[in-house]
Amino acid sequence: PRVRNGFSHLNKNDKERIAVVTFFPENGVSDFQKAEIIGSQRENGWAIGVRSDFDFCQTAIRKIFNDSDFTGFLAVEYGTILSSANSINWARLLPQIVYHASAYLELVNQRFISFGSPVDVCVPTGNFGNVLAAVYAKMMGIPIRKFICASNQNHVLTDFIKTGHYDLRNRKLAQTFSPSIDILKSSNLERHLYLMANKDGQLMANLYHQLESQLHFRIEKMLVEKLQQEFVADWCSEGECLAAISTTYNASGYILDPHTAVAKVVADKMQDKSCPVLIASTAHYSKFAPAIMQALGIKELNQTSSSQLYLLSSYNALPPPHEALLERMKQKEKMDYQVCVADVDVLKSHAEKLIQNWFVRKSE
């Protein structure tokens, strides 16, 4: 939604040459996230639900980018180049690097720590993007001591950091209260392993070919030890997630969203109290109202979505209510959007049709 919203503010000429399509897992986001995705459609931005999970969507997009026949056809036939606004594109990590640096400097500014003192960073992660941005922030000078990876029930990353074995065999994606980290195929881990292995591209190709063909790979002991020098990891159950939301609210009046709660649980388990821990809070709790209401013991779970939001906003909790989401839920008419099957060729067909309808029509 943020990407489409940003591109909707382009001037008229730029709108005619830049457009955004979002493929999202039809049943892999919360109702509020879906309302936000669909409701943020603009004249040059569209949403398409895919009957699959995030892993399929991301893998499909990567396959489309790697299909030189298709991308070449789009360039020649329509003068159109494909790009990505999620962390398939390295540029997605740039703003995340900035806020890791900003968070550290804010602690210094508040005199909570002195400049140069180390901190640990805990990130709820499934795709390894946000925590990789913290790695880059450290490489640029922010004194981060340990990176704490927090997983939910889909804890393939936690298991990998503990063992060096990335294993998808007999592992099925679970739908949890923290859907944005319901991911088994972590696209950014490859980037970090590449750096750790002294930029050995052939090793990465071999490992990820094995993952594709055999659903697992194992890195050598030396690389595991190198990884564990800076990374620790653990995971959080659904019950622990709800309990963290409840206890944090009762203690401070602050409502954690479920992803941040996952990080809080894991940070509490893993910190050694020798330096502060920065938790990356990754979403607003309003987008996950049913889970929040369950955590806080609010019984009116059958209310309409907008009623749930207004009820939560009446708590006067921190952070303040999500005004844009409240406005979105007020909209009486439901926006149309398309839904498609989980097939790469179908996604390609949708992309081409949207290109035809927008760019070709605009140039006529």
Side-chain angles (χ1 to χ4, degrees):
R2 289 187 296 274
V3 172
R4 276 202 310 282
N5 186 50
F7 282 116
S8 72
H9 297 300
L10 296 171
N11 64 44
K12 186 173 182 292
N13 288 339
D14 285 340
K15 274 186 185 176
E16 290 180 1
R17 65 184 189 86
I18 299 172
V20 181
V21 57
T22 302
F23 292 106
F24 68 95
E26 170 68 6
N27 296 313
V29 294
S30 76
D31 289 343
F32 291 94
Q33 284 177 305
K34 186 186 288 189
E36 192 178 29
I37 291 168
I38 296 164
S40 63
Q41 293 182 105
R42 298 290 187 273
E43 55 181 339
N44 65 330
W46 313 280
I48 298 176
V50 182
R51 292 196 183 100
S52 190
D53 53 31
F54 175 86
D55 286 326
F56 171 82
C57 292
Q58 179 164 257
T59 301
I61 298 302
R62 287 169 72 111
K63 284 180 178 175
I64 290 171
F65 284 180
N66 288 328
D67 184 342
S68 56
D69 288 342
F70 181 66
T71 55
F73 166 73
L74 294 181
V76 171
E77 187 72 15
Y78 305 114
T80 300
I81 297 171
L82 298 180
S83 185
S84 165
N86 89 336
S87 58
I88 292 173
N89 185 339
W90 195 89
R92 174 67 182 91
L93 303 178
L94 288 174
Q96 293 176 313
I97 294 170
V98 171
Y99 67 62
H100 285 299
S102 174
Y104 179 82
L105 294 173
E106 186 61 30
L107 286 182
V108 173
N109 191 44
Q110 292 178 7
R111 301 188 177 175
F112 191 78
I113 56 172
S114 59
F115 188 79
S117 298
V119 296
D120 291 343
V121 171
C122 183
V123 183
T125 189
N127 215 23
F128 207 77
N130 197 344
V131 74
L132 184 59
V135 171
Y136 293 147
K138 179 174 183 175
M139 291 168 71
M140 295 167 73
I142 301 300
I144 299 170
R145 185 187 65 157
K146 289 278 187 185
F147 306 100
I148 305 172
C149 280
S151 305
N152 59 19
Q153 286 179 225
N154 299 295
H155 46 81
V156 63
L157 273 176
T158 288
D159 295 347
F160 173 71
I161 289 166
K162 288 183 174 182
T163 66
H165 191 196
Y166 201 96
D167 193 358
L168 299 180
R169 296 170 301 179
N170 305 314
R171 203 185 281 265
K172 193 177 177 194
L173 190 76
Q175 289 194 318
T176 72
F177 293 131
S178 45
S180 297
I181 55 173
D182 286 347
I183 297 170
L184 293 178
K185 294 179 181 176
S186 172
S187 73
N188 288 287
L189 178 64
E190 182 179 356
R191 287 177 169 140
H192 187 59
L193 293 180
Y194 174 71
L195 280 179
M196 279 194 354
N198 298 316
K199 301 184 179 179
D200 187 339
Q202 189 56 54
L203 174 62
M204 293 305 105
N206 294 343
L207 290 177
Y208 279 84
H209 175 72
Q210 186 183 343
L211 183 64
E212 195 66 32
S213 59
Q214 300 176 32
L215 297 180
H216 76 111
F217 68 74
R218 190 186 294 275
I219 58 173
E220 60 187 62
K221 187 181 178 189
M222 183 187 71
L223 282 178
V224 179
E225 289 170 352
K226 195 171 178 182
L227 181 69
Q228 291 174 348
Q229 283 172 10
E230 292 189 312
F231 278 82
V232 294
D234 211 330
W235 66 282
C236 167
S237 70
E238 295 288 81
E240 289 174 316
C241 173
L242 295 183
I245 294 168
S246 174
T247 54
T248 302
Y249 174 71
N250 289 335
S252 66
Y254 190 99
I255 300 180
L256 303 171
D257 91 282
H259 306 78
T260 311
V262 166
K264 172 77 165 63
V265 168
V266 172
D268 286 345
K269 287 180 184 177
M270 303 304 292
Q271 68 165 325
D272 60 11
K273 297 186 168 57
S274 64
C275 76
V277 180
L278 269 171
I279 293 175
S281 182
T282 52
H284 194 283
Y285 63 84
S286 294
K287 296 180 184 179
F288 311 95
I292 301 302
M293 292 172 76
Q294 188 176 334
L296 300 183
I298 303 169
K299 300 300 181 191
E300 299 89 338
L301 291 176
N302 294 322
Q303 296 184 24
T304 63
S305 298
S306 54
S307 301
Q308 291 176 357
L309 283 188
Y310 281 112
L311 181 57
L312 283 178
S313 66
S314 72
Y315 273 56
N316 293 320
L318 291 172
H322 194 308
E323 296 297 343
L325 195 55
L326 282 167
E327 286 300 313
R328 182 95 61 223
M329 300 311 291
K330 277 186 198 171
Q331 293 175 355
K332 297 298 181 202
E333 58 178 286
K334 288 205 168 181
M335 270 196 164
D336 288 332
Y337 73 104
Q338 294 177 292
V339 178
C340 72
V341 295
D343 183 306
V344 176
D345 288 333
V346 173
L347 268 64
K348 282 158 66 173
S349 169
H350 274 285
E352 184 182 352
K353 194 177 295 181
L354 290 167
I355 288 167
Q356 287 175 339
N357 290 344
W358 184 251
F359 296 119
V360 176
R361 179 171 57 80
K362 287 290 177 185
S363 63
E364 288 173 348

